[in-house]
Amino acid sequence: MATQGIDTIQPLRRDWRTAWKALKRLLADGNDTVQVFRIMRALNADTSHRNYARLLREPNGGRIAYDHVELARRFSDRAWVDALPDGSVGAQYRAFLDRTGFSAQGLADISHADGEGWQDVAHPVAWFGRRERDVHDIWHILTGYTAEEHLGEACLVAFSYAQTGGLGWAAIGLGAALKSLRITGERAFANAVWEGYRHGRQAKWLHAEDYEALLAEPLDAARRRLKIAEPVAYHAAQVRLREQGLAGI
């Protein structure tokens, strides 16, 4: 009964050709976020179906699914974000928004740039796919991987693959690691990406979290509870890339 009806949105067939074209464009311009969503649509296939079914098996997962909170809207409520306590996950998210100018709704808009996907479809699997998109920047806060640099994005992509099993994440992380090896001849970047994957495997499954409650939680306490480790190789790679003048690769 847990998965009854979720096959009414059929899993997409993997499209390796489209994914390869999008990956080449993304590696040429790491700020071309539209390509990320093209890769996801091309390769993630039944990822949202599988993970929605898993959510229903998790403690409190049924309640989270029943509440059906649209996180892009919640995270775009600046009055709510501003009311989150100092030192919390949400306070760090607030600082992130102020520093970068990013927004949850802006990311959602980019994901719809091709006019494809599930957008506002009233279906639990479509809702879960939107949820996976909308927690991306919160995962930056939780993991400590900086969103404004390609290394931080690559590490979070690897973490996300470990958490979700979506091949789109794996393709991006592997592509970024191979690009860094070609340019630098060193393994610091690749080691950090591998660490991101390992940390994603070690951490609790973050899709089962109540994000409205999580954002009010002290950041350090949340990291301990969720078993998110300190990104040692990531920090070492940051230093090494800066020394080489390659922080932007």
Side-chain angles (χ1 to χ4, degrees):
M1 292 297 292
T3 61
Q4 183 176 356
I6 69 171
D7 60 348
T8 56
I9 284 186
Q10 295 295 329
L12 300 174
R13 297 186 65 178
R14 291 194 175 93
D15 183 348
W16 292 97
R17 182 176 180 181
T18 295
W20 174 240
K21 288 170 61 176
L23 181 60
K24 287 195 294 184
R25 290 172 181 163
L26 179 63
L27 294 178
D29 178 5
N31 296 315
D32 188 357
T33 309
V34 169
Q35 304 306 324
V36 172
F37 292 104
R38 288 176 179 164
I39 295 166
M40 295 299 142
R41 284 193 292 271
L43 295 185
N44 276 6
D46 65 342
T47 300
S48 291
H49 291 74
R50 288 187 287 102
N51 286 331
Y52 178 73
R54 177 177 177 179
L55 177 66
L56 297 181
R57 298 192 298 269
E58 294 284 329
N60 296 320
R63 179 187 59 78
I64 291 169
Y66 181 82
D67 288 345
H68 213 81
V69 175
E70 292 287 351
L71 291 179
R73 296 176 194 164
R74 195 55 167 147
F75 296 159
S76 296
D77 182 348
R78 189 56 198 240
W80 179 77
V81 172
D82 285 345
L84 292 164
D86 291 343
S88 66
V89 176
Q92 290 297 315
Y93 178 59
R94 182 168 64 236
F96 166 84
L97 296 176
D98 292 341
R99 183 176 71 248
T100 64
F102 296 168
S103 70
Q105 189 57 53
L107 187 64
D109 291 342
I110 292 170
S111 75
H112 302 152
D114 289 338
E116 298 178 3
W118 295 330
Q119 202 156 332
D120 296 322
V121 173
H123 190 283
V125 172
W127 164 79
F128 188 90
R130 294 191 293 270
R131 177 181 169 87
E132 179 174 287
R133 174 200 66 199
D134 296 338
V135 299
H136 178 79
D137 288 338
I138 307 303
W139 287 13
H140 271 297
I141 305 301
L142 291 171
T143 60
Y145 297 131
T146 305
E148 300 95 303
E149 59 177 20
H150 297 159
L151 174 63
E153 285 290 358
C155 291
L156 185 58
V157 159
F159 183 97
S160 299
Y161 171 56
Q163 285 274 310
T164 70
L167 286 181
W169 297 117
I172 296 170
L174 179 60
L178 291 175
K179 177 184 175 181
S180 75
L181 285 171
R182 176 174 56 81
I183 293 174
T184 69
E186 296 187 4
R187 297 183 60 180
F189 190 115
N191 287 343
V193 172
W194 176 244
E195 178 187 64
Y197 173 77
R198 289 190 291 103
H199 286 186
R201 294 276 293 179
Q202 294 164 8
K204 291 182 65 176
W205 194 56
L206 301 186
H207 278 310
E209 290 298 307
D210 178 339
Y211 278 85
E212 292 176 296
L214 174 61
L215 262 67
E217 192 173 345
L219 177 58
D220 289 342
R223 286 173 171 165
R224 288 193 298 271
R225 181 178 64 80
L226 297 172
K227 301 180 181 178
I228 297 175
E230 178 71 19
V232 176
Y234 165 67
H235 291 310
Q238 282 182 309
V239 171
R240 186 59 182 149
L241 290 173
R242 281 196 294 266
E243 289 174 346
Q244 295 179 302
L246 295 171
I249 66 168

